[in-house]
Amino acid sequence: MSRITARKRVTRITVATSRSVRDDLLAVEEPLEIRVGGNSLAITMRTPGNDVDLAAGFLVSEGVIARGDDFAAARYCAGATDEGLNTYNVLDVTLALGVPAPDPSLERAFYTTSSCGLCGKASIDAVRTTSQHAVHHDDLVLDPALLATFPDRLREAQDVFEKTGGLHAAALFDGTTGEMLVLREDVGRHNAVDKVVGWAVKEGRLPLSGTVLMVSGRASFELTQKASMAGIPVLAAVSAPSSLAVDLAKEVGITIVGFLRGQSMVVYSRPERITEPAPAPRETVSAP
């Protein structure tokens, strides 16, 4: 937890009431340079922790790898400072034998911020990446009552958010049983999703058929694309999707559910994956 959170001195003010100085916990944000075979591919701002998951998921999102067998190993690189120290902020990935190295055009022109997973794309054409895991024919059918439980379960499992109030979260649920398979937190919503997908890479679970990706914020184009690249048929969010996210979801066959709060939700694409709500039982009135 030491590198995930940092203790800082803050001044808390309540208007016309009080002013106090105290220590507070903040979510840590540090750069991670991802290398493949010793060659730099990207730098992303992230919360330290689950970095191998992050790198593996990022490579899936970029179309470099498509399954667990493509990912051989990863190690932190020493020599990141003038003193040759290991800052644990440079990770070098080794791909499996026979897996092609990333196309040089994928190299990010500049670093990716924690708020944007596409900022470093070299061209508009590079934004749309073709998935090897089609979800058009995924036969998952979701009970809306089960789906409605996911946001609260996501929130309850956010350990670092509970301490800092400053992290996004993404969780993967089994769409049939409702089991939470994995949850990851990060200052960047795209990083949290990459960490979830990277976990699936290491577990040999790609494609993620029959699953639901639940995110704590909005459903953006980049998150929809990441779901597509991992073969996830349903993306659910507590906030709204963007228009481009819905367009992409319709194109690739993903169900997007937004404003998933309490017992209500809005389905923006492929609504046939969400079953009809069960009718309320009728009251029977006895004859006098």
Side-chain angles (χ1 to χ4, degrees), residues 53 170-173 179-184 195-197 199-200:
D53 290 354
L172 191 70
F173 289 89
E179 178 189 0
M180 181 188 288
L181 303 174
V182 64
L183 179 140
R184 293 288 184 260
K195 288 179 177 181
V196 165
V197 174
W199 168 86

Side-chain angles (χ1 to χ4, degrees), residues 146-195:
L146 179 65
L147 183 58
T149 68
F150 292 175
D152 287 344
R153 292 166 61 193
L154 175 80
R155 176 65 182 83
E156 290 167 2
Q158 288 184 253
D159 294 336
V160 184
F161 180 87
E162 189 66 31
K163 296 177 174 66
T164 65
L167 290 182
H168 293 283
L172 191 70
F173 289 89
D174 184 299
T176 302
T177 66
E179 178 189 0
M180 181 188 288
L181 303 174
V182 64
L183 179 140
R184 293 288 184 260
E185 295 180 273
D186 199 278
V187 288
R189 61 172 60 87
H190 56 92
N191 288 338
V193 171
D194 278 342
K195 288 179 177 181

Side-chain angles (χ1 to χ4, degrees), residues 42 68 77 82 84 115 127 144:
C77 300
D82 292 339
S115 62
V127 168

Side-chain angles (χ1 to χ4, degrees), residues 218-241:
R218 59 188 177 88
S220 63
F221 170 86
E222 59 184 316
L223 300 193
T224 307
Q225 179 172 280
K226 288 177 185 295
S228 172
M229 296 300 289
I232 299 171
V234 180
L235 171 61
V238 296
S239 297

Side-chain angles (χ1 to χ4, degrees), residues 118 127-128 135-136 189 213 215 217-229 232-237 239-258 266-270 273:
L118 297 173
V127 168
R128 194 180 292 270
V135 299
H136 273 291
R189 61 172 60 87
L213 178 63
V215 297
R218 59 188 177 88
S220 63
F221 170 86
E222 59 184 316
L223 300 193
T224 307
Q225 179 172 280
K226 288 177 185 295
S228 172
M229 296 300 289
I232 299 171
V234 180
L235 171 61
S239 297
S242 68
S243 62
L244 194 58
V246 173
D247 289 345
L248 177 62
K250 290 180 178 179
E251 177 185 325
V252 300
I254 287 176
T255 298
I256 285 190
V257 179
V266 180
V267 185
Y268 293 85
S269 59
R270 295 295 299 269
R273 284 203 178 102

